[in-house]
Amino acid sequence: MNNPITSLLVANRGEIALRIFKTAEAMGLDTVAVHSEADSRAPFVRQADTAINIGPAEAEKSYLDIGKIITAARTSGANAIHPGYGFLSENTDLAAACEQANLRFIGPPASAIAAMGSKSAAKALMDQAGVPLVPGYHGDDQSLDVFQDEAERIGYPLLIKASAGGGGKGMRIVRDPAELQPQLEAARREARASFGDPKLLLERYLETPRHVEVQILFDQHGKGVYLFDRDCSVQRRHQKIIEEAPAPGIPDAVRRAMGEAAVRCGEAVGYVGAGTVEFLYEPENHEFFFMEMNTRLQVEHPVTEMVTGLDLVEWQIRVANGETLPWNQEDLTCRGHAMEARIYAEDPDNGFLPQTGRLHTLQEPAESDSVRVDSGVCQGLEITPWYDPMLAKVIAYGDDRDQARINLIEALNRYHTDGVVLNTDYVSRVLHHGAFARADLTTRFVEIHGDVLAQPLFSVWARKHLSLVAWLDNVGAFTHTDDRDVWSILRNFRIGDSHWQPFELDLGAVRYHGHYQITEVGIDYGRLEVRMEDAESIVRWRRMTDGALEVRLSGRRIRLAGTGRGDEVAVFADAATWKARVNHPEVAQGAVADETELAAPMHGRVTALLCQPGDTVRAGQALLTMEAMKMEHTLKAGFDGTVEALHCQKDGNVEAAQVLITLGRAED
């Protein structure tokens, strides 16, 4: 295959497909998307030059069907296939099928994928290559007696792993010899069900290691380099939450030894293209041990791109075209620091359950020199239950680690959706945690700090106040004008006078009652007083250049925005999002039985007069409607009687507590 790549098919979906298309287009290549019926309206489908439907929503009948993918490449004229990550990215059959069909496979040869596909075989190979291994047993004899003998040699606690596994499947921690047999049986059942291979291995269990990985890149001519390292220690159930480059706090000599070991790993399997060698690192004694090799591009590759200035997808394509790597190891440098957060449609406060629904609103941070967003979604898109719930990645850069951390926090404060719950609140809790800020990292970070991380960014008290402010802003209460008819422009608020407005607030299944008054509004600032639960609070705000509010609440500065949909408002407070319903209670009776004057419950505008002086009315009869805060309110008679006087007119503005109608009793 000497012809250069001219058209690239991406055998994947979502944000990784879009990310690959971006580089391919910059290189002047035609792009081809394959998609399931469920993804027909997804952004990656619209972005490609050619899009081909390859089947139903079930991945087994579409994205995992190698025959359909090869056929799509031939039909579209593509002469190369990029597998992305996940799905078929580490599938030897796809790599072999590409070779048989005379298509370039953007990845390593099938032999390299196969060599690393079995954890046991890979560890034996790495042992021969002089790559440090965690003490363990990776043999073919799977009898209980052998496992018991090897467990005694390795020492407890130990870790059972599925040889063909990944993602935590078939993995068990054993701390006592009595637990070994039942845990082996359980792990074997799970390994067989998940991977079709019941083979297991044993390793010494490291209590508080870090997960550090090294990015490698090899050309087809045997030349390989390492592109430095990443720390991926913050994980939940073996799924990464935050990744960063370079890994903090590692001595230069250890960092270099780890990189050189990763290159030896690639050399041992005849690697080609971009790959990642994962290590367990023990900070106490600076030891590192080979864990596994991912023979594909990683989700977290952007942090490496940010600190090296290289486009890894570009170099994957160049390598597939037969180009030689132009650098020696000493030519490569690592500058600054980068962090990545994975944006998932999942609810951290409800067991991290995956979420589905429509993205009615989507707000993503603007990209800049310090912020990058690899997104796979758009506003209005339906999130289905068919695929991985990762929607996007937000990556931040800084001159040092703390600046990168702060930039990522600020970026997450600008990532919000209405319609689907995201994990941004939880990720922000991790970034704010003191241990994370100190780079006190371990793969057990979430377990160790679980109680603190379970606390939302905002208390119920704060959510109540922020919900009210977001709603008031959403309905225009904070709009400022120099017009003399200030009441009509300001939704009829009397600023600086003491007129408390009643409101009801629903958060979840709980309803709260209170009063507020806006005591100050300027062009880009304001002041609000709130009474709730017999306590008064003051909330100050200023308008930021992008239209959001910076709210000062109880000594804290909070970025706040919101969007209304129906009778709800989606509140966006820093990285947190929640739903609230706020309204002024409609006056059900207008006046109680012993009142003859019906007054406006709030500032507003009269929209309809339903009676005239002299009319006879009955209790509960609607007499007047008025509009306030984009809602209509009806004033009704509180008893049988006669309309004695009207003190307002249709389309006129009225103030809170202003008498609008005087009634006389029938007996009078």
Side-chain angles (χ1 to χ4, degrees):
M1 293 185 288
N2 296 321
N3 294 329
I5 296 170
T6 57
S7 180
L8 180 65
L9 181 149
V10 177
N12 219 298
R13 62 179 299 279
E15 60 86 19
I16 182 54
L18 277 169
R19 188 267 167 272
I20 295 168
F21 288 155
K22 181 179 180 180
T23 291
E25 290 167 0
M27 297 178 72
L29 306 180
D30 291 333
T31 55
V32 180
V34 290
H35 66 90
S36 70
E37 294 169 359
D39 276 339
S40 60
R41 297 181 61 250
F44 79 94
V45 175
R46 298 199 302 268
Q47 183 66 30
D49 296 317
T50 303
I52 299 176
N53 186 332
I54 57 171
E58 296 93 332
E60 293 80 4
K61 299 178 181 179
S62 52
Y63 295 109
L64 294 176
D65 191 319
I66 295 175
K68 288 181 178 179
I69 290 171
I70 297 296
T71 300
R74 287 172 169 163
T75 301
S76 65
N79 62 345
I81 292 179
H82 196 305
Y85 41 70
F87 288 145
L88 296 169
S89 60
E90 295 179 282
N91 187 288
T92 56
D93 292 338
L94 176 61
C98 286
E99 184 176 351
Q100 185 175 359
N102 203 33
L103 296 168
R104 300 282 179 86
F105 178 72
I106 310 298
S111 58
I113 298 175
M116 289 299 170
S118 166
K119 286 184 171 59
S120 297
K123 288 181 184 297
L125 196 59
M126 293 304 99
D127 192 24
Q128 296 173 10
V131 179
L133 299 177
V134 177
Y137 172 69
H138 319 113
D140 292 329
D141 191 333
Q142 299 281 292
S143 66
L144 177 61
D145 289 342
V146 169
F147 275 127
Q148 288 175 332
D149 290 342
E150 292 296 329
E152 290 300 323
R153 178 183 64 82
I154 296 166
Y156 291 87
L158 56 81
L159 185 66
I160 303 171
K161 298 172 73 172
S163 178
K169 300 292 186 181
M171 190 176 291
R172 296 288 191 280
I173 299 171
V174 182
R175 299 184 181 278
D176 186 273
E179 301 174 3
L180 182 62
Q181 181 175 354
Q183 293 287 31
L184 283 168
E185 293 172 353
R188 186 175 285 116
R189 288 192 299 270
E190 189 171 12
R192 180 182 289 109
S194 300
F195 312 111
D197 183 353
K199 189 175 182 181
L200 304 175
L201 56 86
L202 299 181
E203 288 182 352
R204 188 178 88 197
Y205 178 64
L206 307 178
E207 290 285 0
T208 55
R210 286 169 53 183
H211 181 141
V212 178
E213 59 189 32
V214 177
Q215 178 73 60
I216 59 172
L217 184 64
F218 277 77
D219 61 25
Q220 297 184 37
H221 313 289
K223 183 177 183 180
V225 294
Y226 64 89
L227 303 179
F228 310 104
D229 43 73
R230 303 183 286 253
D231 191 293
C232 308
S233 298
V234 181
Q235 305 175 6
R236 179 186 167 274
R237 295 182 180 175
H238 307 287
Q239 298 296 322
K240 300 166 187 174
I241 297 174
I242 297 173
E243 301 104 344
E244 58 182 299
I250 298 180
D252 290 342
V254 177
R255 196 184 301 276
R256 183 169 57 254
M258 197 180 296
E260 292 171 351
V263 171
R264 291 199 301 276
C265 176
E267 292 171 341
V269 296
Y271 200 78
V272 173
T276 301
V277 182
E278 300 190 344
F279 295 100
L280 290 175
Y281 171 67
E282 288 196 307
E284 294 80 7
N285 51 24
H286 302 300
E287 286 187 299
F288 62 90
F289 306 100
F290 173 83
M291 183 164 54
E292 62 184 359
M293 181 178 183
N294 291 298
T295 54
R296 55 172 167 79
L297 197 67
Q298 291 279 89
V299 176
E300 57 271 23
H301 75 274
V303 294
T304 293
E305 293 182 325
M306 276 193 156
V307 297
T308 61
L310 300 176
D311 184 327
L312 292 182
V313 174
E314 176 186 352
W315 278 102
Q316 284 186 300
I317 296 171
R318 289 184 179 277
V319 165
N321 267 331
E323 292 189 31
T324 302
L325 298 183
W327 331 278
N328 294 317
Q329 188 63 55
E330 58 270 18
D331 299 326
L332 297 168
T333 57
C334 177
R335 294 187 178 89
H337 203 95
M339 285 188 184
E340 174 181 292
R342 303 184 184 195
I343 308 301
Y344 280 94
E346 63 183 16
D347 186 353
D349 296 323
N350 189 22
F352 290 86
L353 286 177
Q355 301 291 296
T356 59
R358 187 175 299 279
L359 299 176
H360 297 290
T361 299
L362 175 64
Q363 298 178 2
E364 295 181 323
E367 292 196 302
S368 65
D369 290 342
S370 60
V371 175
R372 166 177 164 179
V373 181
D374 285 8
S375 179
V377 294
C378 63
Q379 188 163 297
L381 188 69
E382 188 78 21
I383 306 303
T384 72
W386 293 108
Y387 311 114
D388 186 275
M390 190 176 80
L391 307 185
K393 303 172 304 195
V394 177
I395 311 99
Y397 177 84
D399 291 336
D400 56 33
R401 184 177 186 270
D402 200 54
Q403 188 59 59
R405 182 182 68 88
I406 292 170
N407 289 344
L408 184 53
I409 289 171
E410 290 299 317
L412 292 178
N413 288 349
R414 289 163 171 77
Y415 198 112
H416 294 286
T417 63
D418 171 25
V420 177
V421 178
L422 301 182
N423 67 328
T424 49
D425 182 333
Y426 186 84
V427 176
S428 190
R429 299 175 211 173
V430 174
L431 292 168
H432 279 96
H433 197 284
F436 184 87
R438 296 189 302 271
D440 185 6
L441 305 174
T442 167
T443 54
R444 296 183 59 238
F445 185 94
V446 169
E447 178 185 347
I448 293 169
H449 304 292
D451 290 344
V452 174
L453 296 177
Q455 301 301 315
L457 290 177
F458 298 100
S459 65
V460 173
W461 180 89
R463 287 189 176 215
K464 289 188 292 185
H465 287 75
L466 293 171
S467 297
L468 176 62
V469 175
W471 181 74
L472 288 169
D473 187 45
N474 190 251
V475 298
F478 298 155
T479 303
H480 181 273
T481 179
D482 292 329
D483 193 294
R484 291 187 178 183
D485 186 15
V486 68
W487 308 130
S488 62
I489 302 299
L490 289 182
R491 313 305 300 175
N492 305 301
F493 287 102
R494 180 190 289 240
I495 306 302
D497 200 355
S498 181
H499 285 283
W500 290 92
Q501 309 292 324
F503 69 89
E504 294 175 343
L505 166 65
D506 292 341
L507 283 177
V510 182
R511 171 163 291 181
Y512 303 93
H513 296 84
H515 293 76
Y516 71 90
Q517 60 176 341
I518 301 174
T519 55
E520 186 178 2
V521 171
I523 294 175
D524 58 0
Y525 64 92
R527 183 178 186 272
L528 176 75
E529 295 182 17
V530 184
R531 289 177 181 167
M532 267 192 287
E533 300 172 355
D534 299 323
E536 289 192 19
S537 306
I538 294 175
V539 184
R540 297 182 182 274
W541 59 266
R542 71 172 184 86
R543 183 80 60 187
M544 296 192 287
T545 55
D546 62 357
L549 302 180
E550 181 187 76
V551 174
R552 291 167 55 192
L553 179 64
S554 189
R556 186 173 174 183
R557 295 180 185 271
I558 302 157
R559 176 186 169 84
L560 183 70
T563 181
R565 184 163 55 87
D567 59 352
E568 287 186 328
V569 60
V571 183
F572 307 145
D574 285 348
T577 298
W578 64 86
K579 295 285 185 64
R581 181 179 288 107
V582 187
N583 64 77
H584 292 87
E586 182 175 329
V587 180
Q589 297 299 323
V592 295
D594 60 351
E595 288 182 334
T596 58
E597 294 183 334
L598 277 68
M602 67 205 76
H603 303 304
R605 180 177 63 87
V606 176
T607 56
L609 292 172
L610 307 177
C611 64
Q612 294 295 326
D615 286 356
T616 299
V617 297
R618 292 190 175 276
Q621 180 177 333
L623 305 180
L624 172 153
T625 62
M626 61 178 290
E627 181 189 67
M629 308 300 282
K630 298 184 179 179
M631 298 175 64
E632 187 171 80
H633 306 266
T634 302
L635 273 66
K636 301 176 182 179
F639 51 82
D640 296 344
T642 303
V643 177
E644 292 188 348
L646 294 178
H647 307 288
C648 59
Q649 58 186 4
K650 185 177 181 296
D651 295 324
N653 296 321
V654 296
E655 300 179 10
Q658 177 181 331
V659 175
L660 305 181
I661 300 174
T662 301
L663 296 178
R665 298 181 182 280
E667 59 269 23
D668 295 338

